[in-house]
Amino acid sequence: MVNVAIMGYGVVGSGVVDVITQHSESLAQKAKEEISIKYILDIRDFPDSPFADKFTKSFDQILNDDEVRIVVEVMGGLKPAYDFVKSCLLAGKSVVTSNKELVAAKGAELLKIAQEKNVNFLFEASVGGGIPIIRPMTQCLAANDVIEIAGILNGTTNFILTKMIRDKMEFNDALLLAQQLGYAERNPAADIEGHDACRKICILAAIAYGKHVYPESVKTEGITNITLEDVAYADSWGGVIKLIGQAKILENGKLEIFVAPMFISRESQLSSVDDVFNGILVRGDETGDIVFYGKGAGKYPTASAVVADVVDCVKHFKARKYLGWEDTTENYVADYNDYKFSAYLRCISNNDRNAVEKAKSLFGDIQIINRSNQPENEFAFISPVKSSSEIDKAISALAEYGIETISKIRVGEV
Amino acid sequence: MVNVAIMGYGVVGSGVVDVITQHSESLAQKAKEEISIKYILDIRDFPDSPFADKFTKSFDQILNDDEVRIVVEVMGGLKPAYDFVKSCLLAGKSVVTSNKELVAAKGAELLKIAQEKNVNFLFEASVGGGIPIIRPMTQCLAANDVIEIAGILNGTTNFILTKMIRDKMEFNDALLLAQQLGYAERNPAADIEGHDACRKICILAAIAYGKHVYPESVKTEGITNITLEDVAYADSWGGVIKLIGQAKILENGKLEIFVAPMFISRESQLSSVDDVFNGILVRGDETGDIVFYGKGAGKYPTASAVVADVVDCVKHFKARKYLGWEDTTENYVADYNDYKFSAYLRCISNNDRNAVEKAKSLFGDIQIINRSNQPENEFAFISPVKSSSEIDKAISALAEYGIETISKIRVGEV
């Protein structure tokens, strides 16, 4: 029998308890040992819970109990999760977490401790909820060099964008609906401003390329500025707007990584990833494009991924899983100004009849796109591929002509 | 250093040699040991190959060399692959294979020997080529009960159907094109008659439900009877025709499993899996629908999956991977006649003006569908859900009225 402690009895934590309880027989068969919950750590009281006798408010009780070999951290946030997880690893306990903030901020350090202590630190649930992605990337794709990763990594923003695209709902209304349905939190900033997606692409990039990527170093743009007009232009171009986290290694060895809304062609597998679903594309040099699709969040999808990691820990008390990456190095993340892409730009001509000609003279070979009910003084186009700084320079030059750019969205190639 | 022998230097075998050679450094890093090819077994001579010194025609040389700890079987077929693999496992060598025919026919037996000998028998490449599916199902989804699996498991037939759907190409022309492009073999029976897909759904069902499923026990229908008229009706219904392998456990504990062309709604993630790509949907009780998408065949995708298994073997010399299933039991696979589904039927009315009324009286609440250029004496409809035998009975009753059913295709719910 293996004793497990669960730290945090929120949505995911209570899901983990349910999954372990409801699947106990098949889990024991797979792990070749019974998995037993010894403690549940939470500052709140749950006197009516069937697990009432397992609750504790004392982290030290868990830390000092040698019978506890696996600790599940599903509290979220960095404080006190980071201290708790670090202490558990140092005490020789394996840790499973769904906490993307923790892994994105402290992954390299915690993995190093796990390695030194010969225990496991697993976090399949931190990216893509119930979608298998961490393990397939580390194991199944081990014989590939990852050329690129691109993913719809946040279900809340994908739900909002889907509502805007399908039902022509304004951003604010779609956000309100997401909140009413429980998909978005009352303070939705982490989702709609792209920070959640950023943590996840950082974790995936670390796995793919072996170096930690700190979220602060990643250009991150949310979806708060996306309008129905942009959605209409994307449609007439032949695609949809999706919030994409993307990462690839450049020829100079630096990492190009960002989170941004993007025009995605309807030909792309990612374009049909709708509602709260996530989709992650991994482009391997040998295997080509692989896409993983499923619910990226939610109580039971996430909990089931956590519990699968617990089973893996039990199976690997002797042979530690080789999962790890180095800390970052200076200037590892390339300068966003140098990133090259094609952009969709929407401009107000302010009655300049030569506005389009001026845009052509500044951007080169542009592709004009139109929408229905397009005002006379508005035009939109797809620019040729240029560096981010070149695009910004051209936008400034347009502004000097009195032509205002009111939308700028990257055009995706995935 | 770990010595590996490769049995078979065909498309996949030569790919395996290339991948091991080209990725040697990163593989060594991941496996924590250098992976070295000691032998390549093939009956042919390759005097000009850079690996000429590694070729052997003697299986015994590999079998009796204790330095060879991992054997890669990429010969295909059952003879002599089965004897060779069995001998290697009995001799205490781990085996990695891409041979779906072998795993579908002999998986239970070979896994049992591997368990007894405490070695690994891995076959990620046998299903979905380079798409991670076996390992995610056994590990990442360990905390789920699998409710259902449904997949586009054969790239050749998917290419042919895509050509029929997109380019209105007749089946025979599309097959010819597939052969010209190297996607279909000169004798394409295994692909177009569904046997290849059948082996793969058998392997997935064994993993999901723990019991071997012999391909002979599975109702298997290919795509040779699909016409452009059927494709047009599917389009007007709101979907596409795909060759699907599907498996689920019924309430009585029996397995419902089949391979058949199906109408798939455009809402389904599987409907956009086109060309030679495969897509596999796994419905878990906790995690909901997960879809894995990628190239299901091809030299390097398949080879990279084989090599990833080799890396996993190296990492697991001490802790064997728990992967296995029992042999089948009597009557485990349910009788196809009892399978319940809704069907698309295309009929020739032979100038019977009441033909549709007669169909209604026999099938109940049918949904009439139409296509352009539909002849006056043709009609098509979607039946309500009925057992396979009930549908066949109603078709016979229609025939007694002189109304001939010329197409019958299941309507998918995935």
Side-chain angles (χ1 to χ4, degrees), chain A residues 359-395:
Chain A
K360 275 185 189 163
S361 72
L362 290 165
F363 283 92
D365 192 15
I366 63 176
Q367 175 200 350
I368 295 288
I369 49 175
N370 296 293
R371 64 174 176 104
S372 56
N373 303 322
Q374 183 175 340
E376 226 174 88
N377 73 338
E378 176 182 290
F379 68 104
F381 61 90
I382 307 290
S383 82
V385 173
K386 289 181 176 296
S387 73
S388 178
S389 60
E390 284 168 340
I391 289 173
D392 287 345
K393 244 180 249 170
I395 289 173

Side-chain angles (χ1 to χ4, degrees), chain B residues 62-132:
Chain B
I62 293 169
L63 184 67
N64 296 325
D65 187 335
D66 289 342
E67 281 189 356
V68 174
R69 297 188 64 187
I70 300 169
V71 176
V72 172
E73 185 277 301
V74 280
M75 299 183 287
L78 288 182
K79 274 188 180 176
Y82 167 57
D83 284 336
F84 285 6
V85 167
K86 191 172 167 179
S87 302
C88 288
L89 292 171
L90 286 168
K93 299 177 196 301
S94 286
V95 174
V96 172
T97 184
S98 62
N99 187 337
K100 52 211 163 257
E101 196 177 347
L102 176 67
V103 179
K106 304 288 182 181
E109 181 193 354
L110 295 171
L111 283 161
K112 191 155 175 277
I113 297 171
Q115 191 181 1
E116 286 162 6
K117 291 291 172 180
N118 201 31
V119 293
N120 280 300
F121 177 54
L122 302 180
F123 42 85
E124 179 65 67
S126 68
V127 182
I131 308 171

Side-chain angles (χ1 to χ4, degrees), chain A residues 16 40 103 116 140 149 156 160 199 206 226 264 395:
Chain A
V16 168
I40 305 171
V103 180
E116 285 163 6
C140 308
I149 312 165
T156 308
I160 293 170
R199 290 166 190 149
I226 304 295
I264 298 292
I395 289 173

Side-chain angles (χ1 to χ4, degrees), chain A residues 39-88:
Chain A
Y39 302 109
I40 305 171
L41 180 74
D42 205 290
I43 45 167
R44 295 164 296 174
D45 288 306
F46 295 89
D48 302 328
S49 160
F51 310 100
D53 59 319
K54 300 184 189 300
F55 279 91
T56 176
K57 291 187 174 64
S58 160
F59 169 67
D60 285 343
Q61 191 177 7
I62 293 169
L63 185 66
N64 297 325
D65 187 336
D66 288 344
E67 281 189 356
V68 174
R69 298 188 64 187
I70 301 169
V71 176
V72 172
E73 186 276 301
V74 280
M75 299 183 287
L78 287 183
K79 274 188 179 178
Y82 168 57
D83 284 335
F84 285 7
V85 167
K86 192 171 167 179
S87 302
C88 288

Side-chain angles (χ1 to χ4, degrees), chain A residues 18-19 22-23 26-27 29-32 115 124 129-133 135-136 138-145 166 267 269 272-274 277 285-295 300-305 307-309 311-312 314-316 318-322 326, chain B residues 18-19 22-23 26-27 29-32 115 124 129-133 135-136 138-145 166 267 269 272-274 277 285-295 300-305 307-309 311-312 314-316 318-322 326:
Chain A
D18 288 352
V19 170
Q22 284 156 21
H23 290 255
S26 77
L27 292 172
Q29 214 176 343
K30 284 165 186 163
K32 311 278 174 197
Q115 191 182 2
E124 178 64 67
I131 308 171
I133 180 68
R135 195 171 281 102
T138 48
Q139 296 185 11
C140 308
L141 304 180
N144 278 264
D145 289 337
R166 280 205 198 144
E267 300 293 301
Q269 279 293 312
S272 61
V273 175
D274 286 330
F277 284 85
D285 65 338
E286 303 292 1
T287 204
D289 286 5
I290 293 185
V291 179
F292 302 85
Y293 167 93
K295 282 201 186 114
Y300 290 112
T302 308
S304 84
V307 176
D309 271 353
V311 170
D312 220 16
V314 175
K315 287 157 69 176
H316 286 86
K318 286 169 200 163
R320 215 182 64 80
K321 307 285 287 187
Y322 301 119
E326 296 169 19
Chain B
D18 288 351
V19 170
Q22 284 156 20
H23 290 255
S26 76
L27 291 172
Q29 213 176 347
K30 284 166 187 164
K32 312 274 173 200
Q115 191 181 1
E124 179 65 67
I131 308 171
I133 180 68
R135 195 170 281 103
T138 48
Q139 294 185 14
C140 308
L141 303 180
N144 278 264
D145 289 336
R166 281 205 198 145
E267 300 293 301
Q269 279 294 312
S272 61
V273 176
D274 286 331
F277 284 84
D285 64 340
E286 304 292 2
T287 204
D289 286 5
I290 293 184
V291 178
F292 302 86
Y293 166 94
K295 282 202 186 115
Y300 289 111
T302 308
S304 84
V307 176
D309 272 352
V311 171
D312 219 15
V314 175
K315 286 157 69 177
H316 286 86
K318 286 169 201 164
R320 213 182 65 80
K321 307 284 287 184
Y322 302 119
E326 297 169 18

